[in-house]
Amino acid sequence: MPRENPPADATNRADGTASAAEGPDDDTAAPSTESQHVEAVVPEDRTAHRCPYCDRPFASEERVTLHVGLTHYDVCTDAEAEAFEEAYLAETDEIKRYRLKAAAVLILVYFGFLMVYAVFGVAG
């Protein structure tokens, strides 16, 4: 199965040009993702999963898969691209569940304060 285009939030296109998400071409534009890598020091007692393209360390293999798909999509293999898409969709589902839980907590806190005010604020 041929690879499709990377997700909309990926910053590099397959042809090597930057996407419109980076902003205008002037001195204030965000730096490319290649220059945003920060040197990381991995403690001796920790296992680092490394990117096969840029050797950047990550805490888990899933993070490497997401990094390869977002940063190196134009040069990764079809298997890596497929693994990226699966990891991306799984992470998207986790984020949706987190947002629903956060919204539920905020609603409960809001109505809790509303009830406390209704009982104690009006009586005083």
mmCIF file of all heavy atoms in Angstrom, residues 78-97:
data_model
loop_
_atom_site.group_PDB
_atom_site.id
_atom_site.type_symbol
_atom_site.label_atom_id
_atom_site.label_comp_id
_atom_site.label_asym_id
_atom_site.label_seq_id
_atom_site.Cartn_x
_atom_site.Cartn_y
_atom_site.Cartn_z
ATOM 1 N N ASP A 78 8.373 2.266 4.351
ATOM 2 C CA ASP A 78 6.924 2.094 4.392
ATOM 3 C C ASP A 78 6.482 1.466 5.714
ATOM 4 O O ASP A 78 5.437 1.817 6.255
ATOM 5 C CB ASP A 78 6.450 1.235 3.225
ATOM 6 C CG ASP A 78 6.537 1.975 1.890
ATOM 7 O OD1 ASP A 78 6.586 3.225 1.912
ATOM 8 O OD2 ASP A 78 6.549 1.311 0.844
ATOM 9 N N ALA A 79 7.255 0.540 6.242
ATOM 10 C CA ALA A 79 6.926 -0.093 7.523
ATOM 11 C C ALA A 79 6.968 0.930 8.659
ATOM 12 O O ALA A 79 6.106 0.934 9.549
ATOM 13 C CB ALA A 79 7.881 -1.242 7.813
ATOM 14 N N GLU A 80 7.976 1.812 8.640
ATOM 15 C CA GLU A 80 8.068 2.856 9.663
ATOM 16 C C GLU A 80 6.912 3.843 9.533
ATOM 17 O O GLU A 80 6.365 4.298 10.538
ATOM 18 C CB GLU A 80 9.394 3.594 9.552
ATOM 19 C CG GLU A 80 10.588 2.778 9.982
ATOM 20 C CD GLU A 80 11.914 3.455 9.682
ATOM 21 O OE1 GLU A 80 12.009 4.226 8.698
ATOM 22 O OE2 GLU A 80 12.868 3.199 10.442
ATOM 23 N N ALA A 81 6.528 4.165 8.301
ATOM 24 C CA ALA A 81 5.412 5.085 8.088
ATOM 25 C C ALA A 81 4.108 4.469 8.584
ATOM 26 O O ALA A 81 3.280 5.152 9.201
ATOM 27 C CB ALA A 81 5.295 5.446 6.610
ATOM 28 N N GLU A 82 3.924 3.176 8.354
ATOM 29 C CA GLU A 82 2.718 2.500 8.825
ATOM 30 C C GLU A 82 2.695 2.432 10.351
ATOM 31 O O GLU A 82 1.662 2.661 10.979
ATOM 32 C CB GLU A 82 2.646 1.097 8.234
ATOM 33 C CG GLU A 82 1.333 0.404 8.474
ATOM 34 C CD GLU A 82 1.233 -0.905 7.730
ATOM 35 O OE1 GLU A 82 1.627 -0.955 6.545
ATOM 36 O OE2 GLU A 82 0.757 -1.873 8.346
ATOM 37 N N ALA A 83 3.841 2.134 10.959
ATOM 38 C CA ALA A 83 3.933 2.106 12.422
ATOM 39 C C ALA A 83 3.656 3.494 12.998
ATOM 40 O O ALA A 83 2.992 3.624 14.037
ATOM 41 C CB ALA A 83 5.311 1.618 12.854
ATOM 42 N N PHE A 84 4.145 4.531 12.323
ATOM 43 C CA PHE A 84 3.892 5.900 12.760
ATOM 44 C C PHE A 84 2.405 6.210 12.740
ATOM 45 O O PHE A 84 1.859 6.768 13.696
ATOM 46 C CB PHE A 84 4.645 6.901 11.883
ATOM 47 C CG PHE A 84 4.089 8.295 11.965
ATOM 48 C CD1 PHE A 84 4.258 9.049 13.113
ATOM 49 C CD2 PHE A 84 3.384 8.837 10.910
ATOM 50 C CE1 PHE A 84 3.737 10.325 13.206
ATOM 51 C CE2 PHE A 84 2.857 10.112 10.992
ATOM 52 C CZ PHE A 84 3.035 10.859 12.145
ATOM 53 N N GLU A 85 1.728 5.846 11.653
ATOM 54 C CA GLU A 85 0.304 6.140 11.541
ATOM 55 C C GLU A 85 -0.492 5.438 12.634
ATOM 56 O O GLU A 85 -1.405 6.027 13.220
ATOM 57 C CB GLU A 85 -0.195 5.757 10.151
ATOM 58 C CG GLU A 85 0.352 6.669 9.074
ATOM 59 C CD GLU A 85 0.075 6.187 7.661
ATOM 60 O OE1 GLU A 85 -0.661 5.188 7.501
ATOM 61 O OE2 GLU A 85 0.600 6.805 6.725
ATOM 62 N N GLU A 86 -0.135 4.186 12.959
ATOM 63 C CA GLU A 86 -0.811 3.465 14.033
ATOM 64 C C GLU A 86 -0.559 4.138 15.386
ATOM 65 O O GLU A 86 -1.483 4.322 16.181
ATOM 66 C CB GLU A 86 -0.342 2.016 14.067
ATOM 67 C CG GLU A 86 -0.824 1.196 12.890
ATOM 68 C CD GLU A 86 -0.212 -0.199 12.853
ATOM 69 O OE1 GLU A 86 0.435 -0.592 13.856
ATOM 70 O OE2 GLU A 86 -0.382 -0.878 11.841
ATOM 71 N N ALA A 87 0.696 4.513 15.651
ATOM 72 C CA ALA A 87 1.032 5.166 16.918
ATOM 73 C C ALA A 87 0.369 6.535 17.016
ATOM 74 O O ALA A 87 -0.109 6.935 18.086
ATOM 75 C CB ALA A 87 2.547 5.306 17.056
ATOM 76 N N TYR A 88 0.302 7.256 15.900
ATOM 77 C CA TYR A 88 -0.309 8.583 15.862
ATOM 78 C C TYR A 88 -1.796 8.489 16.185
ATOM 79 O O TYR A 88 -2.330 9.259 16.984
ATOM 80 C CB TYR A 88 -0.092 9.204 14.486
ATOM 81 C CG TYR A 88 -0.582 10.621 14.352
ATOM 82 C CD1 TYR A 88 0.198 11.682 14.772
ATOM 83 C CD2 TYR A 88 -1.824 10.898 13.782
ATOM 84 C CE1 TYR A 88 -0.239 12.983 14.638
ATOM 85 C CE2 TYR A 88 -2.277 12.193 13.656
ATOM 86 C CZ TYR A 88 -1.483 13.235 14.084
ATOM 87 O OH TYR A 88 -1.917 14.524 13.958
ATOM 88 N N LEU A 89 -2.489 7.508 15.589
ATOM 89 C CA LEU A 89 -3.910 7.338 15.846
ATOM 90 C C LEU A 89 -4.165 6.897 17.280
ATOM 91 O O LEU A 89 -5.114 7.358 17.923
ATOM 92 C CB LEU A 89 -4.512 6.342 14.858
ATOM 93 C CG LEU A 89 -4.571 6.821 13.405
ATOM 94 C CD1 LEU A 89 -5.067 5.704 12.502
ATOM 95 C CD2 LEU A 89 -5.442 8.052 13.270
ATOM 96 N N ALA A 90 -3.318 6.017 17.814
ATOM 97 C CA ALA A 90 -3.470 5.578 19.197
ATOM 98 C C ALA A 90 -3.265 6.746 20.159
ATOM 99 O O ALA A 90 -4.010 6.903 21.143
ATOM 100 C CB ALA A 90 -2.481 4.460 19.506
ATOM 101 N N GLU A 91 -2.259 7.572 19.879
ATOM 102 C CA GLU A 91 -2.006 8.729 20.733
ATOM 103 C C GLU A 91 -3.158 9.729 20.638
ATOM 104 O O GLU A 91 -3.552 10.335 21.644
ATOM 105 C CB GLU A 91 -0.689 9.402 20.339
ATOM 106 C CG GLU A 91 -0.312 10.535 21.260
ATOM 107 C CD GLU A 91 0.995 11.188 20.882
ATOM 108 O OE1 GLU A 91 1.108 11.642 19.731
ATOM 109 O OE2 GLU A 91 1.879 11.248 21.732
ATOM 110 N N THR A 92 -3.729 9.883 19.455
ATOM 111 C CA THR A 92 -4.857 10.780 19.272
ATOM 112 C C THR A 92 -6.043 10.322 20.110
ATOM 113 O O THR A 92 -6.722 11.135 20.739
ATOM 114 C CB THR A 92 -5.241 10.854 17.782
ATOM 115 O OG1 THR A 92 -4.109 11.321 17.039
ATOM 116 C CG2 THR A 92 -6.400 11.802 17.549
ATOM 117 N N ASP A 93 -6.294 9.005 20.148
ATOM 118 C CA ASP A 93 -7.376 8.469 20.973
ATOM 119 C C ASP A 93 -7.128 8.731 22.451
ATOM 120 O O ASP A 93 -8.047 9.095 23.193
ATOM 121 C CB ASP A 93 -7.545 6.969 20.728
ATOM 122 C CG ASP A 93 -8.110 6.664 19.348
ATOM 123 O OD1 ASP A 93 -8.690 7.584 18.725
ATOM 124 O OD2 ASP A 93 -7.962 5.517 18.894
ATOM 125 N N GLU A 94 -5.881 8.572 22.898
ATOM 126 C CA GLU A 94 -5.546 8.844 24.293
ATOM 127 C C GLU A 94 -5.773 10.312 24.639
ATOM 128 O O GLU A 94 -6.270 10.635 25.730
ATOM 129 C CB GLU A 94 -4.090 8.482 24.566
ATOM 130 C CG GLU A 94 -3.798 7.004 24.562
ATOM 131 C CD GLU A 94 -2.320 6.706 24.758
ATOM 132 O OE1 GLU A 94 -1.598 7.572 25.306
ATOM 133 O OE2 GLU A 94 -1.893 5.615 24.362
ATOM 134 N N ILE A 95 -5.417 11.197 23.737
ATOM 135 C CA ILE A 95 -5.600 12.631 23.967
ATOM 136 C C ILE A 95 -7.077 12.974 24.050
ATOM 137 O O ILE A 95 -7.503 13.773 24.895
ATOM 138 C CB ILE A 95 -4.880 13.454 22.878
ATOM 139 C CG1 ILE A 95 -3.373 13.306 23.037
ATOM 140 C CG2 ILE A 95 -5.300 14.921 22.930
ATOM 141 C CD1 ILE A 95 -2.570 13.891 21.901
ATOM 142 N N LYS A 96 -7.899 12.358 23.198
ATOM 143 C CA LYS A 96 -9.340 12.603 23.239
ATOM 144 C C LYS A 96 -9.929 12.163 24.576
ATOM 145 O O LYS A 96 -10.749 12.870 25.162
ATOM 146 C CB LYS A 96 -10.043 11.871 22.092
ATOM 147 C CG LYS A 96 -9.842 12.513 20.745
ATOM 148 C CD LYS A 96 -10.558 11.734 19.665
ATOM 149 C CE LYS A 96 -10.290 12.322 18.298
ATOM 150 N NZ LYS A 96 -10.929 11.532 17.228
ATOM 151 N N ARG A 97 -9.520 10.978 25.067
ATOM 152 C CA ARG A 97 -10.004 10.495 26.359
ATOM 153 C C ARG A 97 -9.574 11.439 27.483
ATOM 154 O O ARG A 97 -10.358 11.753 28.378
ATOM 155 C CB ARG A 97 -9.490 9.088 26.635
ATOM 156 C CG ARG A 97 -10.321 8.006 25.978
ATOM 157 C CD ARG A 97 -9.960 6.634 26.518
ATOM 158 N NE ARG A 97 -8.579 6.262 26.264
ATOM 159 C CZ ARG A 97 -8.132 5.735 25.132
ATOM 160 N NH1 ARG A 97 -8.952 5.532 24.131
ATOM 161 N NH2 ARG A 97 -6.861 5.403 24.997
#
